[in-house]
Amino acid sequence: MRKILLALLLVMLCASISFSDSAKIGMLIPVGLDEAGVREWTEKIAELEGKSEIFTNENEIIFYENLTSMLMALQAGQIDRIALSSMPARYIAARNENLNYIDNHHNAIIGYSLAVPESKRAMLMGINLAIFDMKADGTLTRLMRKYMLELGTNDPEPVTMPVFHGEETLKIAVTGDLPAMDCILANGAPAGFNTAFLAELSKRIKKNFELVSISTGARESALTSGRVDMLFWTRSVYNDKGERMPFPLDNFTGVAISEPYLLDSRAALELKK
Amino acid sequence: MTLSDILYKILIQGGSYWTILKGLGATVQISLFSLLFGTILGAFVCMLRMSKITIFRFCATVYIVILRGSPVLMLLMLMYYGIFARSSLEANTIAIITFSLNVAAHVAELLRASINATDYGQIEAARTLGFGAFQAFRLVTLPQIITIAKPVYQSTVVNLIQWTSVVGYVSITDLTRVINNIASRTMQPMITIIIGMLIYLALAYIVHGLFALSDYIQARKEREAAA
């Protein structure tokens, strides 16, 4: 009996030891893609960029429901890197002395858009026009500088949403999991680039916005159930001509997405050696 | 950055303590109401479960099996994003309904086990002595059920407080959600989560303390009655 138990223990030990030298990459759980889907996605990205230094097919992808658990996994050595886009990665690296920001100078290909249910596609027309205007008059660049690039180690300033009496109010989901785009201040108020963008959008399309805080893992359910009218930071892929590629990172069905309000490059974070 | 700087950033800066208190308030509110409604519903389900009518017994058994066997997060998401998606009910109300349903299944089984553990002969003896059915239940069975059920009920209360930590999925900013937000903002997940755990631990000890206090009061009353 003792021998059988010892043999079982040995088998369990062997099973727990990984002989693979592939890296473990953590990422915030995408919508509509499983781990195998993300591996295929990274292959397509490598093809698009003509290089595959960081994310290769051999790497093991591990999903996390929120930024906190992903950072804890990195700091505990359970994963080797965190995959994010450049601006959130810079924000996190600036606040963590023990993290290295890895930038392989990829092109800006991750586009962040607003997502609405297909049945509300018409709503996007005005939003897209406003985004084009904000790009053309430099508003988006100004907001990006103020709320992300020039933030240093400070928290983003809170933004007051304009109120239009008698106008429709749209509910939009925030998660706090993608600072400094989407973060929540000490007083519980949503803040960051996304809210600043939304305040500007609200002024231009004359609609009220109500921010609803939800978990990253519940974003799809929140949108498809009608609990929120829109989602922030829906991630798609764009080529260097600005054309949307048919392999988004957030692979929704029955959802229409806006023009990207932010294009960012891929980056990663790792523990300092 | 020193530990005191980190603690200041997590607990004080920008009114963080107030946000934590509000999150704690949401957790306590959902737990308290769920416990109240869940206990009442649980007693009713227990009654059906012990009924002599087969269909009532069957329905109660199915209810208990489903509710005890499914993760409360799944139930919560089903209620919020499915069944009540088009209703005007607030997220807190839906969370209270969900947790009440879940607690009721546990309480029903807990009460049934406690009732089964009491000696039926005592009821018969009480009835022989002229007690009415309700009087016999109130004066003979109920005190024993309470004594038997109390330790497990205490665990159910503590478990319920911990189960509510998933309400962030349905747009409620409870203690866990606040702790996660603070961890994302301060980039100090380890210390923030330890603080969160200590707050939950304090809540659990308050529950233990309340039950210990009730035991003490009961024992004192019994001593006074005996004297």
Side-chain angles (χ1 to χ4, degrees), chain A residues 16 57 60 72 94 106 108 112 118 132 134 139 155 179 198 208 210 217-218 233 242 255 260 271:
Chain A
S16 67
N57 208 18
E60 187 184 342
M72 286 180 79
H106 292 282
Y112 290 94
E118 192 64 56
F132 279 130
M134 279 192 251
T139 305
D155 284 342
L198 203 63
N208 300 305
E210 182 188 337
W233 61 273
V255 162
L271 274 182

Side-chain angles (χ1 to χ4, degrees), chain A residues 64 84 151 206 224 227 241:
Chain A
Y64 290 90
L84 282 170
L151 205 55
K206 301 276 184 287
T224 51
R227 280 284 174 190
K241 291 174 196 153

